[in-house]
Amino acid sequence: MDRLSHVVVFGECMVELVNQGKDTLTKGYAGDTYNTAVYLKRCTPGTSVSFLTSIGADFLSNELLFKMGEEEINTDLVYRSETRNLGLYMVQTDEHGERTFAYWRDNSAATQTMNLKGDTPLSADLFYFSGISLAILDEIQRCKLFALIKTIRETGGKVVFDPNYRPRLWQSRKEARIWTDLAYANADIAFPGGDDHLALYDHTDVDAIHAHVTALGVAEIVVKNGAAGVHIFTKGNHCIVPVERVARVVDTTAAGDAFNGGYLAARISGKSVTESAGYGAKVAATVISFPGAIVDKGAFSTRVNTASSVSP
Ligand code: ADP
């Protein structure tokens, strides 16, 4: 992949409240595409990463802006809603380590991003979005998003898509399939996950996933499947990259998001698809060794070198 200097990541970042005991919560900021933006930037600091989203006028929104500054993510594409707030979710872990999520995101500021953005022009060398970015928009805004994606591709930008299927964000599985297929049809790189494709399309193996996504025209397909290894399909080539064993998995939240960030950082740094998958797996392995979606920056950097400094 040619060196790409300007990445735009589109989606929603929410307030994350994690239950730490009976009446104690810790607060963070996370969301699938935001997590990818954070890890992509940490892994390739020389790349400009902008997060396209909307926030509110509330104090939590201000705090998120500050966090984005700490992560050196550009806030030039963050719009403000005067009437809506940030979405919020809460994670509770039971005594067996099983996690339960509760969401308050239905009317969040981020559901209005394409309306708030209006016709402001936007360019990107690489544009990243997910099935969640798409699901939270109404149909008119989804069409605006695809119009934007069309202009980005016409001007030479590459588009990356992760389906991240969340049934409760869609009216029906049929609706989710239609829009997810349209997203694949407009993507150059895709990150289908085994669980997502089973739930959304009843695909039970990698071959079925590959056949479906290839038929929609995606040139670089990276199939993730937890600890089972990564399958990459490019122009008739198929390779399998094993995933390193993690001695103690603490919290798998954001594993896929972190993988995507690492993979793209390595591709932007000129690495091959197999090198990039190995690096993405290393980033994901680090993230699942700590609690929460966003791992402390210091702890992360002691374990993961930047993508450009990693040798094959
Ligand atoms: P998602 O979060 O999208 O469901 P996966 O569960 O497929 O994603 O995991 C994404 C990546 O995280 C995998 O490709 C792998 O590199 C890493 N990963 C996930 N679970 C494990 C595990 N138990 N051991 C090692 N690596 C893992």
Side-chain angles (χ1 to χ4, degrees), residues 162 164 193 195-196 224-227 229-230 243-246 249 252 254-257 259 280-281 284-285 288:
D162 183 323
N164 265 341
D195 293 346
D196 286 344
K224 297 170 291 177
N225 210 352
V230 180
V243 160
E244 72 174 84
R245 222 181 79 77
V246 173
V249 176
T252 56
D257 311 332
F259 176 94
I288 65 178

Side-chain angles (χ1 to χ4, degrees), residues 29-50:
Y29 294 89
D32 70 325
T33 49
Y34 178 72
N35 306 338
T36 297
V38 166
Y39 291 117
L40 197 159
K41 179 67 186 181
R42 286 185 186 180
C43 295
T44 176
T47 301
S48 137
V49 180
S50 294

